Structures are given as C-alpha cells and as structure tokens.
Amino acid sequence: MLNLPINIPEGLKYKYVYVLEKKYDKLLKHIYSVGLYCTYRQFYALYHKLNPTLTENYIKKKCTSIIQKLEDSGFIEVNNINRNKYFYLKKPALALFTGDYKKVPRFNHGQNMKNDKFLISLMKLEYYITNDFIINNSNLIHHLYSLTKRIHAATLKYPKLSYNMEDLEYIIQETDYDGIKKRVKDYPHDNILKIIWIDIYNIYRKLLLQNQTVSPNPSYFKLFIVGDSLRLHYAPNILIFDLHEIKYYEKKLNNLFHEFFNITSNITKDIQSNFKKNSTLGSKQNNHIGYSLSLIGYNKESLEKKIAHINRFIDNNPHTPIINDANYIYIDIAKYINHSTQYNSALVNADNYVDTNINALLKK
C-alpha cells in the first residue's frame, strides 16, 4: 500500500500514485535531504550511484525522461544558469517527505538564488555523490542526543553517578526542546546535562540559523568519572560553507571564542597545545569543550587563502577553543555554474541568509 501524504488535493492523488509506484521519491529524497536543488548532471550522477551497472548513455536518456515526467506532474521546476540546467523541488515533492501537503517548508526560489542556499544545496549533493555521506544540519541535534545517551549508559553502568535516570530517559525520548529545557534549567551550572542542553544547544542553534553544521562524528569525545559526576571532553568539527569574505571568519572566530569560553566550568586554556602534543584536551578533573573547523567550498584558491588566514588568526592564543589547525573540504561544483558571472558574483558575495523556517529543525 502506498503511503500518500495527508491533505493532498483530490486532483493530485493520481500523480502521487504514479511517482510512488515508479519509486521516484527515492531519488528525490536525496535532493530533499541536501536542500532542494539539483543540476541535470548531478541527477545523472546520483542515478548512476544508485544503479552502477547501467551505461552512461542509458542513464542520461532515463534521467531526462524522469525529469520530464516529474516536471509534467508539478513535482519539480526546471530552470537554467546559461547552458547549465537544474531543477528544484516544488510543494508536491516536499509533501512526500513532510507527510502533509499543508505543512511544507516555505520556499522562495528567487530569494534562494540571491543568497547562499542554492550553492550550498549543490555542494551538499555533490559531496554526497562523491563521498556517500550527506552533510546534514540535523547532525547538530543528533550530537546532543548522542552525548545524552552516553551519559545515560554511564549512569546505568556506574549507579554511584548522581544523574537522574528519569530525566535522562525523558530527554532521550523527547523531541520538544521546551520540555528538555524545563528538565535541566534548574540543574547546577556545572552539570554536564545543563551544559549540553543549554550552553552547547545555544551555540548549535546559532550555527543552524546560519546554515552551518557539524560533522557526524566529533573530532574528540571522552567522558571521565570524577567522584559521583562526569567530566565532558568534547570537540565537534564545525562545518562552514565558504561563501564569505575573509573578514567574516575573524568575527565568527571571535564569537565562537566567547561562546565556548563562557560555558560554565569549561576550561579552554591550553586545550589546543594539549591536543597537538598528546591528543588529549586536558586534565580529567575538568570539563574541556572546544571545536575544530572545516571550510567547505568550490574555489580551492580562496579556501587555501582563508584557511591560512584563520590559522594565523588563532595561533598563539592559549585560551582558544580550537583544538587544531583549521582545514578545508574542496567540492567541485564550478562545472555546474560556469559561464554565469551574474549568478556567481551575486551568490559568492552574498551575506548570510537566515532561513525563516530553520528553527523548526531543532523541534523535529
């Protein structure tokens, strides 16, 4: 039985049946996961990734046919940047993944073409095609739950720990942040559950608002037992898409410095030198919470220049929360947007765009 979204207009139901029976939703799901945009050539590569035995000529013909049928059904809109064709998902396609035709993300194609969302979507999809891994904003909230589950497991193993099992089990199952915040807000400031769900959550919320995220696995993570409580040693790898002027990163690093430095009971002094010398963050008696940094972009020369600047900027500060030198991830999407100076100029130099619906991700 096909699982149709609810609240579909009666006249669209047969189109949903067709798309689901053809399993086109499996293809669109990857595009939805990275940000709604896809070039034709990326679609060919995505289809080949899922069907590796098919020939290049067959894939191109098949994909061209699928795109046409999806466009005719109103699930996608086709457009181009000069000679490079692309498409984006429309409301009927979005409803496939929200499950409700009346509850889909607000989408403004014209605005997205003026800010960084279009390029970020192409970079995320290209990274998945090349590396079989999706750079996803949901990694932020996933980290918080993963840390909580590790505390829960440690408390089960060592009953002497002073963490409330009822609260831990509630947090692990709860999807509403307000409920979690209510549980931890009256904890002592040095309680790591409060640090995770108040301090780190607030840092991550700001990243999310700027369409920035973290890698699935942290650069460093350990828990240490000290008396009847735990000490958190944790450093996520923050991912920033390189669509900013070089001065942006100085401001960003300063903001992150204050946010990590001001976490109650967090010791950042010598965290970088400790990690570089012996791959630890510091004394087991203290909480040590820092981060590593990777820029993601499609202009290798720009990436190299900015990484060199960032590493000079953070050097020789004993209190920096950055545990090692920043690095970059190069993603070749220039081939999809070449011969398009108008769009390149407008997008690459765009200011941060705050997606009006991004807050909802933390509630999922």
Side-chain angles (χ1 to χ4, degrees):
M1 183 177 178
L2 298 175
N3 188 19
L4 299 178
I6 62 174
N7 295 316
I8 301 172
E10 196 64 34
L12 288 181
K13 285 189 177 179
Y14 77 97
K15 295 181 179 181
Y16 277 94
V17 170
Y18 175 80
V19 167
L20 291 169
E21 284 182 343
K22 292 291 186 179
K23 301 188 187 305
Y24 294 160
D25 58 311
K26 307 297 182 186
L27 293 166
L28 297 180
K29 182 178 181 180
H30 295 288
I31 301 167
Y32 175 80
S33 297
V34 300
L36 313 184
Y37 287 93
C38 179
T39 69
Y40 272 40
R41 284 190 286 166
Q42 283 181 317
F43 193 68
Y44 304 156
L46 177 62
Y47 195 85
H48 182 259
K49 184 181 183 69
L50 301 174
N51 303 276
T53 61
L54 300 178
T55 66
E56 184 176 335
N57 285 337
Y58 175 83
I59 286 172
K60 188 171 182 179
K61 291 177 182 178
K62 180 67 174 177
C63 287
T64 302
S65 173
I66 293 172
I67 291 170
Q68 185 63 57
K69 290 170 181 174
L70 288 170
E71 183 183 21
D72 292 343
S73 299
F75 280 71
I76 65 172
E77 180 78 23
V78 172
N79 214 322
N80 64 78
I81 297 180
N82 281 353
R83 291 177 290 179
N84 299 292
K85 284 192 171 184
Y86 68 92
F87 63 85
Y88 58 89
L89 308 189
K90 297 181 69 176
K91 183 175 181 177
L94 302 181
L96 285 169
F97 310 109
T98 64
D100 188 342
Y101 190 83
K102 292 184 177 179
K103 294 181 180 179
V104 299
R106 292 175 62 185
F107 184 81
N108 187 323
H109 170 62
Q111 184 66 34
N112 290 343
M113 292 302 293
K114 294 176 183 178
N115 58 54
D116 56 10
K117 197 166 187 178
F118 171 71
L119 282 178
I120 289 175
S121 180
L122 296 192
M123 282 192 278
K124 284 183 175 182
L125 183 56
E126 190 69 14
Y127 190 78
Y128 169 70
I129 292 168
T130 306
N131 299 283
D132 199 29
F133 159 64
I134 290 178
I135 299 171
N136 202 314
N137 289 349
S138 64
N139 291 340
L140 294 160
I141 197 71
H142 173 73
H143 271 227
L144 304 184
Y145 282 110
S146 294
L147 292 172
T148 306
K149 289 175 183 177
R150 295 295 292 268
I151 297 169
H152 178 261
T155 305
L156 282 175
K157 187 174 181 179
Y158 302 102
K160 71 173 184 177
L161 292 174
S162 60
Y163 299 99
N164 185 304
M165 287 298 296
E166 184 178 335
D167 285 351
L168 285 166
E169 290 169 1
Y170 172 86
I171 292 170
I172 290 170
Q173 299 297 323
E174 183 56 56
T175 59
D176 177 39
Y177 176 67
D178 289 337
I180 295 174
K181 183 177 180 180
K182 187 176 180 180
R183 288 269 177 159
V184 303
K185 68 181 180 66
D186 293 327
Y187 279 7
H189 289 295
D190 60 350
N191 184 290
I192 61 173
L193 275 176
K194 186 169 186 176
I195 290 172
I196 291 167
W197 286 102
I198 301 291
D199 297 319
I200 299 177
Y201 171 90
N202 286 332
I203 294 172
Y204 281 3
R205 182 176 179 276
K206 291 175 184 176
L207 293 177
L208 189 60
L209 288 169
Q210 297 171 68
N211 208 359
Q212 297 164 0
T213 187
V214 294
S215 298
N217 298 315
S219 297
Y220 191 91
F221 169 72
K222 281 188 178 180
L223 289 174
F224 297 99
I225 297 175
V226 177
D228 63 352
S229 61
L230 295 168
R231 298 293 181 266
L232 176 63
H233 290 203
Y234 169 62
N237 181 38
I238 294 176
L239 305 176
I240 298 178
F241 289 93
D242 180 35
L243 298 166
H244 311 282
E245 297 296 335
I246 201 164
K247 284 291 183 182
Y248 168 87
Y249 296 103
E250 293 184 10
K251 183 177 179 181
K252 182 72 177 181
L253 291 168
N254 279 328
N255 288 341
L256 287 171
F257 171 84
H258 291 293
E259 287 166 356
F260 278 86
F261 184 78
N262 289 332
I263 294 175
T264 304
S265 79
N266 182 32
I267 306 298
T268 61
K269 187 176 187 301
D270 297 328
I271 195 172
Q272 186 181 98
S273 61
N274 287 331
F275 187 78
K276 287 184 175 181
K277 288 177 183 177
N278 51 38
S279 298
T280 67
L281 300 188
S283 168
K284 298 177 182 179
Q285 301 296 315
N286 302 311
N287 292 317
H288 298 288
I289 304 165
Y291 69 96
S292 59
L293 179 68
S294 297
L295 301 190
I296 305 174
Y298 67 91
N299 185 325
K300 186 176 286 188
E301 183 179 352
S302 172
L303 287 167
E304 291 173 346
K305 179 180 178 181
K306 289 170 184 175
I307 286 298
H309 181 79
I310 288 170
N311 287 330
R312 286 194 299 270
F313 187 77
I314 64 176
D315 196 28
N316 298 321
N317 182 350
H319 292 281
T320 180
I322 301 182
I323 66 171
N324 53 10
D325 292 339
N327 57 49
Y328 69 82
I329 300 169
Y330 169 67
I331 301 178
D332 182 15
I333 63 163
K335 56 193 174 187
Y336 304 127
I337 56 175
N338 59 4
H339 305 297
S340 182
T341 304
Q342 176 186 357
Y343 278 104
N344 278 329
S345 176
L347 289 165
V348 173
N349 296 306
D351 292 331
N352 278 346
Y353 174 70
V354 178
D355 188 330
T356 55
N357 292 292
I358 207 77
N359 284 319
L361 288 175
L362 282 176
K363 298 272 181 143
K364 288 186 180 179

